[in-house]
Amino acid sequence: MNERSATTLIPETARGSEAAILNAALEAFGEKGFYGASMRDVARGAKTSLSNLYNYFPAKSDLLAALLRMANDELLNRIQEAVGAAGKRPADRMSAAVRAHVRFVVEHQVASLVALSEIRYLTGAVRKRVVAARDSTQGIYEELVAEGAAAGDFLTPYPDDAARNIVSMVSAISTWYRAGGRLNAEELGGQHARYALALLEAPLD
């Protein structure tokens, strides 16, 4: 693929800013995992002091929770916009959702991988908020599947499982994608849209 996966999630305005800290945390979590990365690693990556870092984020879990919420918000917005522009046909709307999701994973591979693998380190109310945000994204797929099933376009007898498996399939791209591979982001999105429609037993036309 020609695209490069970004290790920055949000634009940075200054050294030591909140954005710089979050991007440094993303890089550290992507490289070492949440458990292996330290607040000192994050401060070093953001080119700031530990005291300034703690002013923004008192705990490492606060950094992870903020990153996961921001990543999910961006993903949710992209999917909603794509679906809204796709027209009324259930197959077109599902295809648009999957394509937008795949492009997000390709463009923000590190954030997608961290979201997939490191959420287990969040607990309590913080975890519940992050899981609720993530569930809202899956909820779009569930609604799309329900629409297609009601219209008779999706024939799968397992709509809930199908929606969950589509999300899992696309999210898993973050674990194996490599820039410079055989397919570009658009082609990869088209491939996975076909996989999703096949899973839903929808007509491929």
Side-chain angles (χ1 to χ4, degrees), residues 7-90:
T7 55
T8 56
L9 185 61
I10 52 178
E12 295 180 14
T13 56
R15 292 174 53 174
S17 66
E18 182 175 357
I21 290 169
L22 285 167
N23 287 327
L26 178 59
E27 184 173 0
F29 296 158
E31 180 181 347
K32 298 183 177 181
F34 176 81
Y35 186 78
S38 68
M39 293 292 268
R40 192 174 298 278
D41 291 329
V42 176
R44 187 182 305 113
K47 297 181 173 58
T48 192
S49 64
L50 273 173
S51 60
N52 183 54
L53 171 58
Y54 283 118
N55 283 334
Y56 284 106
F57 298 97
K60 192 167 61 166
S61 59
D62 295 326
L63 279 166
L64 179 60
L67 284 170
L68 297 192
R69 286 196 300 269
M70 293 178 69
N72 189 77
D73 287 348
E74 174 67 16
L75 173 60
L76 182 63
N77 288 336
R78 290 194 187 196
I79 293 176
Q80 287 175 328
E81 289 179 4
V83 171
K88 295 183 178 180
R89 290 184 68 244

